[in-house]
Amino acid sequence: MIEPTVYEISSPGRTGPRLPELDVPEAPLPEGYVRDAEQLPLPELSELDVVRHFVRLSQKNMSIDTNFYPLGSCTMKYNPKVNELTAGLAGFAQIHPLQDTDLVQGAMQLMFELQVYLAEISGFDAVTLQPAAGAQGELAGVLMMRKYHLDRGDNKRKKILVPDSAHGTNPASTTMSGLEVVELPSDDRGNLDLAALKENLDETVVGLMLTNPNTLGLFEEHILEVTRLVHDSGGLVYGDGANLNAIVGICKPAELGIDVMHFNLHKTFSTPHGGGGPGAGPVGVVEKLASFLPGPLVALEAIVDEEPGLPFLAGPLAEEGPTDLHRLVWYTPSKSIGRVRSFAGNFGVLVRAYTYIRMLGAEGLRRVAENAVLNANYLKARLQGEGSYPIAFSDRTCMHEFVAQGILEGASGVHTLDISKRLMDYGFHPPTVYFPLIVKEALMIEPTETESKEALDLFADALIAIAGEARTDPDLLHEAPHQAPVRRLDEVRAARQAIFCRR
């Protein structure tokens, strides 16, 4: 049943709480700013009408707090509620970005320590918290790579190499940077094709953008050779950190030869992003790129004055934090590509990530990766064995996610979209579908480390039952969902002819 809008349940003359009587002289609003009821028809509701309306809406909402959300490549895991508690503390929630630095040293200390923690986790020498999301972090990273080459007087480099299994944002970031995308194929084991890489490496290549583990849920088996080849050609390696939760606490991207990488704080370090809320995409770099980072970063003032020191480097100095002899200041590196976000980034997400890292510690973060891989392989094995769902590159151990295919034997005419819609009737959010593009009828599933065995079994049971329905009653899938407030939607029309406001 569809919940009516507030305009449909509006009743003339009905009101909620009343404003107190004015204790100052009443003054008219400037002419031209006043609108009457015909020009601005606002709904008229009691407080109870409003409360019930929004509670009903919240109960219809599919969320990570209510349902299993196995979106491949999106890491929709549980967000510990202590994160919300810390992000809501008055000292953080009521802070203003224009306050004097002497009044916000506590918040800056949190940001400084988060820079250090991310550097330690990834192996990079410096981190900026500026970018507001992973895609913006990518753009910042590619701009830094380009500026690095130009700063050395190397003007020939115009190309970025991108595997065909990459996130769509990789070629988009490259194009926005004014560079040319060269797509490289995957080999028969799902890795970047080494022969194609060698064939395309020359003095015109700015670098390679590589996701590891990749979007097939596979660890790049030749990662060390890949990064060596790119470096030997004078290029740089960008790491798409979207899938960091599969290796966090186990290996450091910088030690694999990655030069620059964004973190998706809203994925790896909680704060699920599926609701369209804010994210955060900090970027880490090796030392030779540190001078190009977007600012401002948080730095220790006493170190800033020392040339050519990098005040945001991780290490003993960073661990000291502010003392009577130090204070935290905003700092922009000398060759910075400039600011990419207003103020200092999405601070609320930074607080949540900081809390998550501090709560888990080094051992806990490693368990995150271990459990993510264990859960994905358990689910993969059940679907492969009992549901007869084909699995792309099934002979390899998957990492935190895997790609099943909606191609069921004895169920011709049933597609991935039908399977995903039917899952809604079983109470599950559909997985990512038709991505990566190189796998036919892709169902990209990421169970995350926070789901229990019971939750995984319920999901597997649902997919196995749907496979049976596809063979005996395919129309049941073609007409799904049956239990949702609205049935099968014209998704293309909804995307292209969106109506955001009823009146």
Side-chain angles (χ1 to χ4, degrees):
M1 180 178 174
I2 297 177
E3 174 68 16
T5 68
V6 288
Y7 294 99
E8 291 167 325
I9 59 178
S10 172
S11 179
R14 189 170 297 175
T15 61
R18 296 178 182 277
L19 295 175
E21 293 294 329
L22 287 174
D23 58 0
V24 295
E26 185 173 339
L29 291 170
E31 190 173 347
Y33 291 89
V34 179
R35 283 180 270 180
D36 59 27
E38 289 188 4
Q39 294 171 311
L40 185 62
L42 295 175
E44 298 174 75
L45 303 164
S46 69
E47 180 180 293
L48 189 56
D49 292 333
V50 173
V51 169
R52 287 179 175 170
H53 169 73
F54 285 104
V55 168
R56 286 194 294 266
L57 278 181
S58 70
Q59 290 170 338
K60 292 179 185 297
N61 189 38
M62 177 76 77
S63 73
I64 197 67
D65 283 347
T66 55
N67 300 80
F68 179 29
Y69 225 105
L71 278 180
S73 205
C74 281
T75 317
M76 294 294 289
K77 62 189 181 187
Y78 179 68
N79 183 49
K81 296 312 172 202
V82 67
N83 294 1
E84 302 304 315
L85 183 66
T86 54
L89 291 173
F92 293 144
Q94 297 178 19
I95 200 169
H96 193 283
L98 292 179
Q99 280 182 252
D100 188 276
T101 53
D102 287 339
L103 302 177
V104 294
Q105 287 286 296
M108 294 177 72
Q109 174 72 17
L110 180 147
M111 297 177 70
F112 184 77
E113 290 184 16
L114 183 57
Q115 290 173 184
V116 173
Y117 293 154
L118 293 177
E120 172 61 25
I121 288 168
S122 60
F124 290 116
D125 296 307
V127 172
T128 178
L129 304 177
Q130 267 256 307
Q136 194 180 37
E138 280 180 31
L139 178 62
V142 175
L143 289 173
M144 280 189 280
M145 291 164 67
R146 186 186 68 171
K147 192 166 183 179
Y148 167 79
H149 290 303
L150 294 176
D151 186 65
R152 295 184 301 115
D154 189 346
N155 302 316
K156 298 186 298 296
R157 298 180 183 272
K158 307 289 184 185
K159 300 176 183 174
I160 294 278
L161 309 181
V162 180
D164 59 4
S165 61
H167 293 103
T169 48
N170 289 182
S173 300
T174 300
T175 303
M176 290 179 70
S177 302
L179 301 173
E180 178 187 348
V181 179
V182 176
E183 185 177 279
L184 301 182
S186 301
D187 66 16
D188 57 5
R189 286 184 57 78
N191 301 303
L192 173 64
D193 189 289
L194 279 179
L197 175 64
K198 293 175 184 175
E199 189 177 322
N200 283 278
L201 281 175
D202 57 32
E203 71 279 4
T204 67
V205 171
V206 171
L208 167 74
M209 296 186 82
L210 189 70
T211 307
N212 184 47
N214 63 27
T215 59
L216 295 164
L218 304 174
F219 193 90
E220 286 287 341
E221 294 174 306
H222 311 297
I223 180 71
L224 295 178
E225 186 172 2
V226 166
T227 55
R228 180 186 62 77
L229 287 169
V230 175
H231 290 155
D232 287 349
S233 75
L236 298 167
V237 180
Y238 184 92
D240 183 326
N243 296 337
L244 183 65
N245 67 313
I247 59 173
V248 64
I250 296 178
C251 73
K252 300 182 178 183
E255 294 177 355
L256 300 176
I258 305 295
D259 298 298
V260 48
M261 185 192 83
H262 76 265
F263 307 78
N264 281 2
L265 293 190
H266 50 281
K267 293 171 63 175
T268 306
F269 304 105
S270 68
T271 316
H273 61 299
V283 172
V285 294
V286 294
E287 185 169 357
K288 65 183 177 183
L289 292 175
S291 297
F292 302 96
L293 282 168
L297 299 90
V298 182
L300 287 171
E301 186 178 49
I303 309 300
V304 172
D305 297 332
E306 297 181 6
E307 293 292 345
L310 297 172
F312 36 86
L313 286 177
L317 285 174
E319 292 170 2
E320 288 179 6
T323 66
D324 291 342
L325 302 177
H326 301 96
R327 67 191 283 270
L328 293 164
V329 296
W330 299 116
Y331 175 81
T332 298
S334 58
K335 300 177 182 178
S336 172
I337 62 167
R339 184 188 287 271
V340 298
R341 173 74 167 82
S342 58
F343 303 113
N346 281 333
F347 182 69
V349 181
L350 305 184
V351 176
R352 290 171 173 86
Y354 177 87
T355 306
Y356 185 82
I357 292 170
R358 290 295 301 265
M359 288 289 290
L360 286 173
E363 290 184 9
L365 289 175
R366 183 184 179 92
R367 284 200 304 275
V368 164
E370 292 171 344
N371 288 339
V373 174
L374 177 63
N375 279 4
N377 280 281
Y378 175 76
L379 199 51
K380 169 178 171 256
R382 279 213 59 190
L383 296 183
Q384 197 171 4
E386 300 176 52
S388 299
Y389 284 87
I391 306 291
F393 305 101
S394 60
D395 59 326
R396 293 188 58 184
T397 299
C398 70
M399 299 300 288
H400 61 303
E401 62 189 1
F402 62 94
V403 183
Q405 293 177 275
I407 305 172
L408 300 168
E409 187 175 348
S412 61
V414 171
H415 297 282
T416 287
L417 184 65
D418 303 316
I419 295 168
S420 64
K421 294 296 184 186
R422 182 61 177 150
L423 266 173
M424 296 168 67
D425 291 332
Y426 283 85
F428 297 102
H429 192 284
T432 298
V433 296
Y434 300 111
F435 181 80
L437 302 177
I438 58 175
V439 177
K440 187 178 180 182
E441 295 288 333
L443 273 164
M444 192 180 187
I445 299 170
E446 180 177 358
T448 80
E449 69 281 359
T450 51
E451 297 296 339
S452 66
K453 180 177 179 296
E454 290 76 14
L456 299 182
D457 280 333
L458 285 173
F459 181 67
D461 290 344
L463 275 172
I464 293 166
I466 291 171
E469 294 171 349
R471 298 181 178 103
T472 58
D473 188 3
D475 284 343
L476 191 63
L477 276 66
H478 293 149
E479 297 167 6
H482 301 271
Q483 308 299 326
V486 293
R487 302 292 294 276
R488 187 78 65 101
L489 299 173
D490 184 338
E491 295 178 357
V492 174
R493 186 180 175 193
R496 297 183 179 177
Q497 299 178 23
I499 301 172
F500 296 111
C501 184
R502 186 170 180 271
R503 297 186 183 185

